Amino acid sequence: MEHEMRAEYAEGAGPGAPVKIWHMVRRETATAMCGRELSPDAETRTAEVWGTPEGEPFCHTCGALYLREVP
Ligand SMILES: [Zn+2]
């Protein structure tokens, strides 16, 4: 399963605004693993950034689910 990180912004904000929290999504989708609907325009990051300062703050629910899918 291919994953990537997708940004959630503050209410009404979009790409370019400070990232409120990062979620994990399955590649090419805009629904986070925790169920949150994210903007298809939101910034994405490779899943390799997960767990590094660049990937913070990160959604804890997504983190737990991601750990279960990735060995
Ligand atoms: Zn999430």
Side-chain angles (χ1 to χ4, degrees), residues 22-24 32-36 59-63:
W22 290 97
H23 295 269
M24 193 66 78
M33 296 179 74
C34 65
R36 185 96 188 167
C59 171
H60 288 285
T61 307
C62 282

Side-chain angles (χ1 to χ4, degrees), residues 14-70:
V19 173
K20 183 177 163 194
I21 193 164
W22 290 97
H23 295 269
M24 193 66 78
V25 301
R26 296 189 180 91
R27 191 162 295 200
E28 309 297 333
T29 69
T31 304
M33 296 179 74
C34 65
R36 185 96 188 167
E37 293 289 340
L38 303 172
S39 168
D41 300 329
E43 289 170 70
T44 57
R45 292 270 191 282
T46 166
E48 282 161 32
V49 177
W50 184 75
T52 73
E54 201 187 330
E56 295 290 333
F58 190 80
C59 171
H60 288 285
T61 307
C62 282
L65 293 168
Y66 178 61
L67 276 178
R68 250 189 262 164
E69 284 198 11
V70 177

